[in-house]
Each structure stands twice: as structure tokens, then as C-alpha cells.
Amino acid sequence: MKIRSSHIPYLLILPAVAYLAFFIGYPLIQALYLAFTKNGAFSLDTVRRATSDPMFWQALKYTILLAITIVPLQLILALILALAVNGSFKGRDFAIYALVIPLTISDVAAGLIWYTMLADYGFLNKLLLNLGLISEPIHFFGYEYRMMEFLAIVIAEVWRATAIVFVILVAGLQMISKEYLEAAEVFGAGYWTRLRKIVIPMLKPSIQSALIIRTLFAMQVFGIVWILAGRDIPVLAGEGFYQLVEIKDYGVASIYALTIAALSILLGALYIKFLKAEYLEVRT
Amino acid sequence: MNEKTLFMLKKVLFYAFIFTVVAWIIIPLIVSALYAFSTKTDYYDPNKVIPTSFTSEWVKIILFTLGAWDGIKNSVIVALLTIAISFLLGVPAGYAIARYVFKGKDTIKLSIIALRMFPIPIMAIPLVVLYIKLHLVDTLLGVALAHTAMALPFVVLITSSIFASVDKELEEAAMVFGLTRFGAFKAITLPLALPGLAAAAMFTFVMSWNEVFVASVLTLKNRTLPAQTLSIVAGAAGGAAPAYYKFAAAFIMVLPAMLFIFFARKYLITMWGITLR
């Protein structure tokens, strides 16, 4: 059997594309089916069941609230750190190594680690008590302390997931040609001018990728919330999980999943529209 | 203030900032490792910030009584299956994108990037229904198939950038000397790409090792480590496990991931840089 050589790339790609199409396409159709039918006919019954539950709106609120708290913090911190380690200084390699460690730590593990730090008998409380800075432990966990649970999630998520933003930005910084910066310096541009006129614009594609990735993952936040707050702080993925595993309501679970997907698509489209990358150089 | 003191001050502030951030990352890791082995009395002693007497009891209970050891075994099997399937499907695609010019290439590449962002819950929940039909519910293969869907876009993109970094001319030279395209790939490109591919495989391993949603939804008895941990420490009862169990579980989960980053740290930054642009 002779295969035409122009077909080869397609044949090489086909298995991967077919696999993805099946594992993304089938669940998507199935989710729509579970969410919008009843006894085989189109029905909004499941939608009504999901949206009449106050937990749905709470989950939507907290998911968005967490994202708009965490993502900007991560971006700013990662940008400062990336710029800081871009120069050379003593201990730079160790600093980079330490900063990327959380990259491989799962959200469940990060949740557990921060529980260790913030529990009533945790490190932070014991430290502050022994230093005499507080006389009562600070309570982070429990339904009455929901805002503190929220704070604990924010701390743990910033701790865990800033690394990915940092890595993307460091990689982006390394791709900026030194010549631009040197030329700007020759013409008398100070650090801030160079940062504003050259570094940030050229870093825009990296910032955009990092923002998209972090925001979309924030829509799916689950393990860390489940560990630190359980359902005190409901989030979309957590409620979907709860509906599926505890209530066994596949339809409502699908609606949670579809809400995450809809939010992801919406946010992805917004980012691409409003953060159009400007290239200072023609890329080949 | 003269220029020299200003310079020194800036330097001190810079180091103070870096030191603070590094400490903020590392201290929780050290503390949770210490607490994982601390005795109960030390943990509940308000005057002991750092425990001084240690026991491996909690780690042992988590591992052997509460099933974390089985979780580790399951996690390893799932991760290896995920690597095998996603590389089998992804490496040819990555090679095609790196080496051939063909119609629709950009569209295909873009769609694959878009799929990297696909929300996991929407995949996992309907898969339960399919898996019930296929008798894949609560099987490790089932979890691995779902993890492959999650890892495959990444494998395609990363392998394509690894192959693209291997000089095309070396391969062409080998073909001039009479090797077939596949022969040239095997003799030249593959060995040169191997370190990068190994790094990609390790990253795939970590992705699967850390994933909790799919694994929790698709399994009940055969749970991976994160799913097992989640049900131990925050099961239906809602965080009933005593605190020191939680620390022991954290320690068990973090150790392998940290070993990975130690070995793969050289590749991490380049890997992400190329994939994401």
C-alpha cells in the first residue's frame, strides 16, 4: 500500500485529533443532553431545579469573587518576581528553584499544607501567640469564620499557582532581545521608561497566556476549596462534584459543568479581544 | 543621601523582598513536613511552635490503614498509562506539526491550544454516564483515558516544539545517505529529542498525579492518591480527620512532586515558554 506523501501529516495528526474530538465532543453533547432533556424530550426542568437552589448562585458568586481576587494578585506578584530574577544576583538559581516548587504541588496538597499553617493549633497561630502578638488564636476555619476561610483559600491559591504565571513570564522575558533594551539605554531611557515602552508591550503575549490560563483554571477551582472550606464557600466545580457524588443528580451536575464551560468560553473570548498582542518585531 | 548609600539601600531592599517571597514559599513546606511527624502532645502544646518529639505513626496510618499506599500505586499506574497513551497519540502529531507544511496546520494547532483550556468538570461528569455503559467506571484505565484527554494537547504542543528545536538538516542529511524518513527519525531526531521528551513525560506524570476532580468522580474503590486523600480528610462528613492526619497526607502527596521538579528544573522554563506562545 502506497500512501501519498501529502497525506502523511494528516495521518500523523488524525489519531490525536480523533481522540480529543471524542473525549471533548461526546461529553459536551452528553452534558447538553443531561441538562436539557427529561424523559427523552427537550425540557428546562433540570435548569429550573439547578437555578432554584440558592447554592447555585452562591457558587457562581464565590467562583467569580475568588477569581477576581486571586488572579490580579498573582499577575502582579509574578510580574514583579519575574522582573526581579531576570537580572543576575547572588542566589538567583536557588530563588528561581524555590519559586517554581509549587508548580508541581497539587491543589489538594496545597490545601492541606495551608491547613497546617492556619489551623487553630497551626504554625501561624502558635508563632504569633508565642511572640505575644495575639492573645487568642485567629480562627480561619468553620462556618462562622467564612471570610477567613475565603482568605485562607486566597493565600493558598496565590502560594500554589503564582508559580505558573511566574514561569510563563520568565520565559517571555528571556525571549525579549537585549538589543532593544541596550538601544533604549543608549538613547537615555531610564528603567521605568524601558519597562513601560519595551518590556511590558513585548511581554504582552506571555501576560495574555498567563491570564487566560489562570482565569480559566480559577473557574474550575475545586480541591483547595474542598479541603479548606468544604461547602462553606461553594464553588461551581465543588457543587457539581457534590451533586454528582452525594445527590447523584447527573442533570444538575451537568448544568454546573456547562456553567463553567460557558464562563470559560466567555472569558477566553474577552481576553483575546481586549488584550490583542502587539508585536514590536515581525515574527517568522 | 549620596549615590552609593542609595545603591546599597536598593540592594538590601531587593534581597529582603526576594528573601521574603522565597521564605513564604518554603516555610509552609518545611512546617507541614515537621508537623506530619510530630507527636499529638507536641501538636496540641500551645508553647511548641516547632515540634521536638517525632513519630511516624500518622504517616503509617494514612499509608496503610487509610489506603494512601493503594492510592499511590493507583496514581502511578494511571500516570504511566496516561503517559503511554498520550505519547502514542501525541508524538506523531507533534512531529507532523514540527516538520510538515500542510493545509489547515494553523487551524489544527490553534484548536489544540484551545482544547488545553477545556474545563475538566464538563468532561468528567458526562464521562461517568459513558463509563457506566462501557464498564469503565471505577477502573484505572478509565481514569487514564480521561487524563489522556487532559494531557494530550500539552503533549502535542510540547513535542512539536522539541522536534522543531532539532535541526531539520541533520534529518535530511541522513535521508541523503539512504535512510527512510522513519529511519532518519529513529536514528537522528529521536535520540536528540529524548531529553526534552523525558521532561515532557515527567510533566505529564505530574499532571496526572495531581489531578483530583476526574479521579474522584470516576472512581470509588480504585482511587488515585489525591482522590483518596480528599475522601480521607474531607469526605462526605466534611473534614472529620484529625489535623495531624491532614499534615501526614500533605507530606505524602508533596514528596514525589518535589523530586520531579528537582530533576526537571532545567527544562521547566523553556518548556512553558515555547508551548504557550
Side-chain angles (χ1 to χ4, degrees):
Chain A
M1 193 176 73
K2 179 97 182 121
I3 304 166
R4 288 245 313 271
S5 66
S6 65
H7 288 165
I8 290 175
Y10 296 106
L11 287 173
L12 291 172
I13 286 181
L14 189 68
V17 170
Y19 190 94
L20 287 172
F22 177 75
F23 269 88
I24 308 285
Y26 173 83
L28 197 62
I29 292 164
Q30 182 74 38
L32 290 168
Y33 179 81
L34 286 168
F36 294 108
T37 60
K38 194 185 179 187
N39 303 327
F42 176 79
S43 154
L44 288 176
D45 204 52
T46 317
V47 181
R48 251 177 261 128
R49 199 161 69 236
T51 53
S52 64
D53 181 353
M55 283 303 252
F56 177 85
W57 301 104
Q58 289 280 316
L60 190 64
K61 184 185 97 180
Y62 276 116
T63 306
I64 293 171
L65 213 57
L66 276 171
I68 58 178
T69 316
I70 293 166
V71 177
L73 274 175
Q74 287 179 326
L75 186 68
I76 293 164
L77 183 63
L79 188 61
I80 295 171
L81 286 171
L83 290 169
V85 303
N86 202 36
S88 62
F89 59 91
K90 229 184 186 158
R92 176 173 178 262
D93 285 348
F94 176 75
I96 293 181
Y97 175 50
L99 293 173
V100 298
I101 285 176
L103 204 59
T104 52
I105 294 177
S106 66
D107 50 352
V108 172
L112 292 169
I113 287 170
W114 277 93
Y115 184 82
T116 319
M117 298 294 284
L118 303 174
D120 284 1
Y121 279 92
F123 179 74
L124 184 75
N125 272 323
K126 280 196 198 172
L127 185 70
L128 295 178
L129 282 168
N130 279 284
L131 291 173
L133 291 170
I134 51 172
S135 53
E136 279 278 297
I138 306 167
H139 300 292
F140 274 93
F141 304 108
Y143 189 80
E144 319 85 286
Y145 310 108
R146 264 209 294 182
M147 278 347 276
M148 294 306 273
E149 287 187 332
F150 189 88
L151 182 65
I153 295 168
V154 171
I155 295 172
E157 263 297 83
V158 171
W159 180 81
R160 179 188 73 90
T162 302
I164 182 70
V165 185
F166 169 76
V167 166
I168 294 169
L169 295 186
V170 169
L173 280 176
Q174 286 181 347
M175 287 168 94
I176 296 175
S177 155
K178 292 260 181 309
E179 284 159 36
Y180 291 109
L181 298 171
E182 277 159 14
E185 211 171 350
V186 168
F187 285 106
Y191 182 78
W192 290 110
T193 319
R194 274 177 285 155
L195 190 63
R196 229 161 27 104
K197 298 272 161 131
I198 299 173
V199 177
I200 300 286
M202 291 190 73
L203 205 56
K204 244 183 164 176
S206 300
I207 294 176
Q208 187 180 10
S209 323
L211 266 180
I212 293 179
I213 285 188
R214 273 310 304 148
T215 315
L216 298 198
F217 284 162
M219 292 300 117
Q220 310 171 29
V221 65
F222 169 63
I224 219 160
V225 177
W226 207 249
I227 293 275
L228 291 175
R231 289 180 77 216
D232 297 351
I233 308 272
V235 287
L236 291 168
E239 289 305 300
F241 175 80
Y242 180 79
Q243 288 291 337
L244 187 76
V245 174
E246 302 290 331
I247 313 284
K248 309 242 183 283
D249 191 334
Y250 291 44
V252 172
S254 290
I255 288 177
Y256 278 105
L258 285 169
T259 310
I260 296 172
L263 274 176
S264 302
I265 293 166
L266 182 75
L267 287 168
L270 282 177
Y271 274 136
I272 289 169
K273 193 167 153 58
F274 288 111
L275 280 171
K276 268 234 167 73
E278 308 159 28
Y279 294 112
L280 289 185
E281 52 187 337
V282 179
R283 293 158 63 88
T284 49
Chain B
M1 216 187 308
N2 65 26
E3 220 163 271
K4 208 175 163 196
T5 33
L6 194 70
F7 179 76
M8 281 306 288
L9 191 71
K10 268 188 188 167
K11 211 169 160 180
V12 168
L13 281 175
F14 176 81
Y15 275 106
F17 171 70
I18 294 285
F19 180 81
T20 311
V21 180
V22 168
W24 178 63
I25 298 284
I26 289 178
I27 288 173
L29 288 168
I30 297 170
V31 168
S32 72
L34 284 176
Y35 277 25
F37 293 99
S38 95
T39 55
K40 220 193 285 188
T41 39
D42 268 25
Y43 175 68
Y44 286 117
D45 183 348
N47 297 317
K48 276 221 168 108
V49 180
I50 291 165
T52 47
S53 47
F54 296 101
T55 169
S56 58
E57 205 185 330
W58 320 126
V59 174
K60 275 189 193 144
I61 290 178
I62 290 275
L63 276 178
F64 303 114
T65 314
L66 296 173
W69 180 246
D70 292 324
I72 291 174
K73 281 192 284 188
N74 290 338
S75 276
V76 170
I77 294 170
V78 167
L80 292 179
L81 279 172
T82 303
I83 292 174
I85 308 169
S86 62
F87 271 62
L88 195 69
L89 298 167
V91 169
Y95 183 79
I97 288 174
R99 280 291 188 265
Y100 291 90
V101 178
F102 53 94
K103 230 168 121 185
K105 180 171 155 172
D106 285 341
T107 320
I108 291 175
K109 217 176 141 180
L110 255 173
S111 337
I112 291 174
I113 294 175
L115 289 180
R116 272 204 61 212
M117 315 295 173
F118 193 77
I120 290 169
I122 198 167
M123 183 174 77
I125 292 172
L127 273 186
V128 176
V129 179
L130 176 71
Y131 279 16
I132 292 171
K133 284 185 212 155
L134 296 175
H135 302 290
L136 278 170
V137 162
D138 212 5
T139 62
L140 298 181
L141 179 65
V143 180
L145 288 172
H147 281 185
T148 299
M150 185 181 86
L152 187 54
F154 166 80
V155 171
V156 173
L157 293 172
I158 191 85
T159 52
S160 89
S161 63
I162 290 162
F163 286 133
S165 70
V166 175
D167 210 334
K168 203 176 172 174
E169 276 153 30
L170 290 174
E171 206 171 303
E172 277 160 3
M175 276 150 74
V176 168
F177 286 107
L179 284 173
T180 61
R181 179 138 212 158
F182 185 66
F185 171 77
K186 239 174 42 181
I188 310 285
T189 310
L190 193 59
L192 287 171
L194 220 50
L197 292 178
M202 281 159 100
F203 207 86
T204 310
F205 189 95
V206 170
M207 267 164 89
S208 166
W209 175 269
N210 282 339
E211 200 287 324
V212 64
F213 194 94
V214 170
S216 298
V217 165
L218 294 179
T219 58
L220 196 63
K221 287 198 205 82
N222 294 308
R223 293 217 138 131
T224 61
L225 182 62
Q228 182 71 20
T229 309
L230 197 72
S231 66
I232 294 172
V233 302
Y244 33 89
Y245 283 180
K246 296 187 177 182
F247 313 147
F251 177 76
I252 293 167
M253 293 187 75
V254 166
L255 204 61
M258 289 196 39
L259 284 177
F260 155 78
I261 207 140
F262 184 77
F263 288 116
R265 64 187 188 282
K266 253 176 40 196
Y267 298 97
L268 273 175
I269 288 179
T270 37
M271 216 157 77
W272 284 98
I274 305 164
T275 347
L276 290 166
R277 279 267 170 156

